[in-house]
Amino acid sequence: RNSNRVAISHLHRQLYGRLYPVLLVSTDGSTIRLRYKEPKRILMLPLDSSTLPEAERKARLRRHFPSKPKAKEEETFEGIDLDTYKQFWKK
């Protein structure tokens, strides 16, 4: 272990020895400075989706869970003239 370890990754600790100044951002955009047990810069409170209008709530759900990509049709070899690729075949 050397001094560069902290610069490369985070500290692997269960408990920190002191409290750290952190900026807490609430759902309405207001900020509060508080002391937190882990060294972070910003903490954001989760947004309560039950207070949102129905259209905005559905839009947020669509962004979080996008629809599955549609299956593409497979290409068939019926429309391909095989004589044009005859030079690439091994004899």
Side-chain angles (χ1 to χ4, degrees):
R1 298 186 189 255
N2 59 14
S3 63
N4 295 331
R5 187 173 193 282
V6 176
I8 295 171
S9 68
H10 68 280
L11 295 174
H12 301 280
R13 289 186 190 167
Q14 294 293 326
L15 294 172
Y16 290 89
R18 57 180 280 234
L19 295 177
Y20 297 89
V22 174
L23 188 69
L24 177 71
V25 180
S26 63
T27 55
D28 62 351
S30 61
T31 59
I32 304 167
R33 287 221 168 254
L34 54 93
R35 303 191 55 75
Y36 191 66
K37 60 185 176 183
E38 294 181 17
K40 298 182 182 242
R41 290 190 179 177
I42 295 177
L43 283 177
M44 294 183 71
L45 292 176
L47 184 67
D48 187 14
S49 62
S50 62
T51 60
L52 292 175
E54 188 69 23
E56 191 174 339
R57 188 170 64 81
K58 285 185 178 181
R60 286 180 69 87
L61 282 174
R62 265 188 262 120
R63 271 184 275 151
H64 280 284
F65 305 105
S67 61
K68 294 179 182 176
K70 296 180 181 173
K72 297 179 181 176
E73 292 184 17
E74 293 185 17
E75 292 185 24
T76 59
F77 295 107
E78 296 169 358
I80 298 175
D81 183 24
L82 296 178
D83 291 330
T84 58
Y85 300 103
K86 200 173 199 176
Q87 61 191 359
F88 299 115
W89 298 344
K90 290 186 178 179
K91 294 182 180 179

